[in-house]
């Protein structure tokens, strides 16, 4: 049971880690809305790194954001959180591979391996939390601007990149939870060191020897 939970946790964490890269590469984090427009000549879509525009003929043009400091604060924070999620996910994968019971890395000290696996589960949880905060914060700004009647700029809708990010966060959190639950499951095959205790035979012998060496206060004549 424990090995199955560890394998499931590793699969979920790895899938979530891969989907972070897919989400970052996706250009549709937000897409200009067609609400209230009769004729749409161009579509604008952005992610954390660039802004793109395409016309009705299918020709599109993309440009990177020219300045980091000129970006809104939520975009800078989302970038930092997504990069932190990648780092946490990498540490989580390494710790999980070392701490898995079926892995030969780290020897057969299952108590130590279980603690390392638990650390991997914590890293997966941090990965999921960072990803969830980044995509939710980005989506909250899109929603706020969309429903603000006095917002002068272009209004956008939530793109597919955010949905991929939410799926990645969910997988990572589920993987970390499974791994922490697996660390609490005890199996009868685990090798737990016990302190050395002498055999009962030695106690019997020592008791007999001590009883023979204790001097008696009575002589042999007292039993006649």
């Amino acid at each position: 049971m424990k090995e199955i939970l560890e394998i499931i946790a590793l699969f979920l964490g790895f899938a979530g880690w891969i989907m972070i890269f897919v989400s970052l590469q996706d250009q549709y984090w937000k897409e200009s809305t067609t609400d209230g427009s009769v004729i749409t000549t161009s579509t604008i879509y952005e992610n954390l790194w660039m802004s793109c525009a395409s016309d009705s003929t299918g020709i599109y043009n993309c440009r990177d954001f020219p300045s980091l400091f000129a970006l809104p604060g939520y975009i800078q924070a989302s970038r930092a959180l997504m990069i932190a999620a990648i780092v946490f996910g990498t540490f989580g994968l390494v710790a999980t591979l070392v701490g898995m019971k079926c892995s030969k890395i780290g020897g057969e000290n299952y108590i130590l391996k279980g603690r390392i696996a638990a650390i991997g589960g914590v890293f997966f949880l941090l990965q999921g939390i960072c990803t969830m905060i980044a995509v939710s914060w980005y989506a909250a700004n899109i929603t706020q601007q969309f429903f603000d009647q006095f917002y002068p700029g272009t209004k956008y809708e939530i793109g597919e990149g955010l949905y991929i990010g939410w799926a990645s966060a969910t997988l990572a959190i589920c993987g970390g939870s499974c791994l922490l639950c697996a660390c609490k499951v005890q199996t009868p095959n685990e090798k737990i060191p016990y302190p050395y205790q002498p055999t009962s035979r030695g106690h019997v012998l020592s008791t007999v020897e001590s009883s023979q060496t204790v001097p008696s206060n009575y002589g042999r004549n007292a039993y006649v």
Side-chain angles (χ1 to χ4, degrees), residues 45-67:
Y45 46 94
E46 296 181 359
N47 60 3
L48 294 177
W49 315 101
M50 65 181 64
S51 175
C52 300
S54 63
D55 55 19
S56 57
T57 61
I59 300 176
Y60 68 94
N61 184 23
C62 296
R63 62 178 181 85
D64 296 331
F65 293 132
S67 175

Side-chain angles (χ1 to χ4, degrees), residues 24-135:
L24 287 175
Q25 293 295 325
D26 194 286
Q27 298 176 348
Y28 291 89
W29 275 52
K30 63 180 181 180
E31 184 178 1
S32 59
T33 181
T34 58
D35 182 42
S37 300
V38 179
I39 300 175
T40 303
T41 57
S42 63
T43 302
I44 302 174
Y45 46 94
E46 296 181 359
N47 60 3
L48 294 177
W49 315 101
M50 65 181 64
S51 175
C52 300
S54 63
D55 55 19
S56 57
T57 61
I59 300 176
Y60 68 94
N61 184 23
C62 296
R63 62 178 181 85
D64 296 331
F65 293 132
S67 175
L68 173 64
F69 298 104
L71 293 174
Y74 74 94
I75 295 182
Q76 299 182 27
S78 297
R79 282 183 176 184
L81 288 170
M82 294 297 284
I83 293 173
I86 293 175
V87 175
F88 286 138
T90 304
F91 288 157
L93 289 173
V94 174
T96 304
L97 289 174
V98 174
M100 290 179 65
K101 186 178 178 181
C102 59
S103 174
K104 299 300 181 180
I105 304 174
E108 296 183 355
N109 189 347
Y110 296 118
I111 296 178
L112 179 60
K113 289 172 72 70
R115 293 173 181 175
I116 296 175
I119 294 174
V122 173
F123 279 130
F124 281 146
L125 289 177
L126 292 175
Q127 170 194 342
I129 291 172
C130 289
T131 307
M132 184 68 71
I133 293 174
V135 295

Side-chain angles (χ1 to χ4, degrees), residues 41 50 206-207 223:
T41 57
M50 65 181 64
S206 61
T207 305
Y223 299 96

